[in-house]
Amino acid sequence: MLDPWRGASVLPLWAWGQLADAIGLARATRLVVCVSVLLQQLGVCAVLRAQRKPLLLALLGLPLAYANLFYLGLVPALLSLGLAFLSIAWLMRPRRARVAQLWLLAISCALPLTHPLGLLLVLAFALFTLLASRRPRRQTLGALWPLTPLLPGALYWARAALHADGVAAFDWPGLTQRIM
């Protein structure tokens, strides 16, 4: 039973469960992990392509693929990071067609249902884009409209983080405890 007030990582877990019912748990686990790692690398390639950089530089992203997120089993965070890189790549394109904006809107709807890591990354990129843009603020904000589903998602994750308990609880130890 999923408790939506403790975390909204339902998209990867739902897909994982559906695959497990169809092809078995072991194969579903391998498939979901492979897709998550591959999506992260494809996202890095998309960002490089949007910057017109050589795709060979994506090899520099391989350490990210097998970093702590992979070894700790945080598949929703891996999936979230891949979707975030794809979103950033769509945002970096100079002229966004209507289809591109709809894809970005679809990713923005899915991203809050994965993990807050990717959500925060895209929101930070959008904020820096807004601050660094030479265009008028109204025009820049108009270009960022497909990211609107991220705002309620960020509020949800902030509420979930503030009311978490157990290992998910936010714990800021005092100075004495940190020194010890």
Side-chain angles (χ1 to χ4, degrees):
M1 174 96 168
L2 293 174
D3 184 4
W5 291 112
R6 294 193 72 193
S9 298
V10 295
L11 186 64
L13 300 177
W14 175 81
W16 202 337
Q18 296 301 312
L19 281 171
D21 289 344
I23 62 174
L25 183 60
R27 284 188 184 138
T29 301
R30 287 186 195 108
L31 185 63
V32 168
V33 170
C34 285
V35 165
S36 297
V37 170
L38 184 64
L39 185 64
Q40 183 179 357
Q41 288 309 112
L42 289 175
V44 170
C45 287
V47 168
L48 288 170
R49 187 169 179 220
Q51 293 179 336
R52 295 186 177 99
K53 303 282 185 200
L55 291 181
L56 191 60
L57 290 175
L59 293 175
L60 295 174
L62 280 176
L64 288 175
Y66 294 105
N68 286 342
L69 296 177
F70 179 81
Y71 287 106
L72 293 175
L74 295 172
V75 174
L78 278 172
L79 187 67
S80 176
L81 202 53
L83 289 174
F85 285 141
L86 287 175
S87 296
I88 289 170
W90 283 110
L91 285 170
M92 293 175 86
R93 291 176 181 244
R95 291 190 189 105
R96 287 189 289 276
R98 190 77 168 153
V99 174
Q101 290 180 333
L102 292 176
W103 273 110
L104 186 56
L105 180 64
I107 293 172
S108 296
C109 288
L111 198 54
L113 299 175
T114 56
H115 194 271
L117 177 64
L119 178 83
L120 291 174
L121 186 64
V122 173
L123 286 176
F125 183 83
L127 176 67
F128 291 133
T129 299
L130 185 63
L131 293 175
S133 177
R134 293 182 179 161
R135 296 186 294 172
R137 297 249 190 258
R138 184 177 295 268
Q139 188 179 5
T140 306
L141 276 174
L144 296 175
W145 74 266
L147 299 180
T148 52
L150 297 180
L151 298 175
L155 290 174
Y156 169 82
W157 278 107
R159 188 236 176 255
L162 290 174
H163 297 289
D165 56 351
V167 294
F170 180 72
D171 182 28
W172 186 261
L175 180 62
T176 309
Q177 189 176 3
R178 284 186 278 161
I179 292 173
M180 298 301 282

